Amino acid sequence: MSLLRVENLVKSFGGVHAIQDLSFEIPEGVVYSVIGPNGAGKTTLFNLISGVYTPSSGEILLAGENTRGLAPHQLARRGMSRTFQNLQICMNMSAVENVMVGSHLRLDSSFFKAMLRLPSITRGDRACREQAEELMEFAGVGHYIGSEADAMPYGALKRLEIARALASEPKILFLDEPAAGLNGTETAEIDQLIQKVAQSGVTVVLVEHDMKLVMNISQHLLVLDYGKKLAEGSPDQIRCNPDVIAAYLGAA
Ligand SMILES: Nc1ncnc2c1ncn2[C@@H]1O[C@H](COP(=O)(O)OP(=O)(O)OP(=O)(O)O)[C@@H](O)[C@H]1O
Ligand SMILES: [Mg+2]
């Protein structure tokens, strides 16, 4: 059974058909990339899968379960996590607190328990902080433990966002342009981090315009154009596909 299965997915915004009759499957344990020109529907696809948008029609199944009607936090509890194309970090919080937000998606901390500061919550918070610090080390931003988020450079914030996404302990992680705006060194660091995440057993789904990065780390690619599947296959198959070259790679 595939970890994620998308069947005949459609999303329209008024007259704009952002996703058109799209079907594909993601097996467990791969790095799977979604590529395509600007406006092809990549972020819309992530927003549909992560419960931010409701499909116009079609189905999304996570580990065999239909996700229709599930909110993002309910999907997080089922093992789905993501980052955003436009960095979403709270600049008035510390770096560690930003990562802790991710684990609260998975923890059972009801409002009243939190208000009463019951011992179980305090213990939970401590464990949560320790996990956040470990994840910051894992993501290569350990030296910013103790820093405010607004003291971190952009490249480090991109990795902090990945640490936060990992704090909910996902089975499948969606990364929307993790290398956007990064220089060559920072992109190489993101490349290594994604490989480490994949080696830890998390299935990674990547949207990225940096073709070198994509071709280097993906086992499978899906190419979107105008919301439709243009091609899919291994990096070698995609590189040689004439439709892809004409629509995307040739124009890059
Ligand atoms: N909330 C929305 N309301 C209306 N139209 C939208 C909305 N979100 C996306 N679109 C439209 O859907 C299409 C696909 O956009 P999307 O952001 O998914 O593309 P993308 O492949 O992520 O592009 P990029 O590479 O530039 O990030 C575009 O025509 C866009 O204008
Ligand atoms: Mg996008």
Side-chain angles (χ1 to χ4, degrees), residues 161-175:
E161 202 184 22
I162 294 177
R164 182 182 62 199
L166 291 171
S168 63
E169 298 180 0
K171 287 200 284 268
I172 186 163
L173 172 64
F174 291 82
L175 302 173

Side-chain angles (χ1 to χ4, degrees), residues 10-239:
V10 174
K11 180 66 181 177
S12 304
F13 300 102
V16 177
H17 304 298
I19 295 291
Q20 304 189 54
D21 197 25
L22 181 64
S23 301
F24 62 93
E25 289 178 40
I26 303 181
E28 201 168 347
V30 296
V31 176
Y32 188 105
S33 288
V34 181
I35 63 170
N38 293 117
K42 305 177 298 294
T43 297
T44 302
L45 177 63
F46 273 21
N47 284 336
L48 289 164
I49 293 171
S50 60
V52 176
Y53 292 159
T54 305
S56 304
S57 63
E59 310 298 341
I60 299 163
L61 292 102
L62 177 63
E65 183 190 4
N66 198 318
T67 64
R68 183 166 282 270
L70 295 178
H73 71 278
Q74 293 170 310
L75 290 165
R77 294 227 171 97
R78 285 165 175 77
M80 187 182 285
S81 190
R82 70 171 294 185
T83 63
F84 296 86
Q85 182 167 355
N86 303 312
L87 194 68
Q88 295 204 3
I89 289 289
C90 295
M91 289 300 178
N92 57 352
M93 283 164 50
S94 73
V96 172
E97 283 165 351
N98 266 285
V99 180
M100 288 171 72
V101 168
S103 51
H104 283 299
L105 283 170
R106 139 186 85 73
L107 293 177
D108 168 36
S109 52
S110 74
F111 178 69
F112 286 110
K113 269 171 144 182
M115 288 281 286
L116 295 169
R117 306 280 313 159
L118 293 181
S120 65
I121 284 290
T122 320
R123 255 198 322 274
D125 263 2
R126 212 163 28 236
C128 180
R129 182 171 290 271
E130 277 167 18
Q131 183 213 30
E133 291 179 1
E134 278 168 23
L135 284 171
M136 284 183 65
E137 298 281 1
F138 179 84
V141 288
H143 45 294
Y144 292 107
I145 294 171
S147 294
E148 293 302 305
D150 64 5
M152 295 174 67
Y154 181 73
L157 288 170
K158 291 290 267 187
R159 279 183 280 148
L160 187 72
E161 202 184 22
I162 294 177
R164 182 182 62 199
L166 291 171
S168 63
E169 298 180 0
K171 287 200 284 268
I172 186 163
L173 172 64
F174 291 82
L175 302 173
D176 196 350
E177 303 204 19
L182 302 187
N183 65 30
T185 313
E186 291 167 331
T187 302
E189 285 165 354
I190 284 283
D191 182 334
Q192 281 169 15
L193 175 56
I194 295 171
Q195 300 205 41
K196 255 169 66 177
V197 172
Q199 278 156 17
S200 77
V202 178
T203 302
V204 178
V205 190
L206 182 66
V207 162
E208 186 48 65
H209 286 289
D210 185 322
M211 277 307 119
K212 193 165 152 260
L213 173 69
V214 165
M215 294 297 181
N216 187 31
I217 60 178
S218 318
Q219 281 89 54
H220 198 92
L221 285 93
L222 168 69
V223 188
L224 291 185
D225 196 23
Y226 297 106
K228 292 185 188 150
K229 186 196 288 184
L230 185 70
E232 67 174 316
S234 68
D236 282 344
Q237 288 168 329
I238 294 302
R239 257 191 222 105

Side-chain angles (χ1 to χ4, degrees), residues 211 239 241-252:
M211 277 307 119
R239 257 191 222 105
N241 184 305
D243 292 338
V244 177
I245 293 165
Y248 187 43
L249 296 177

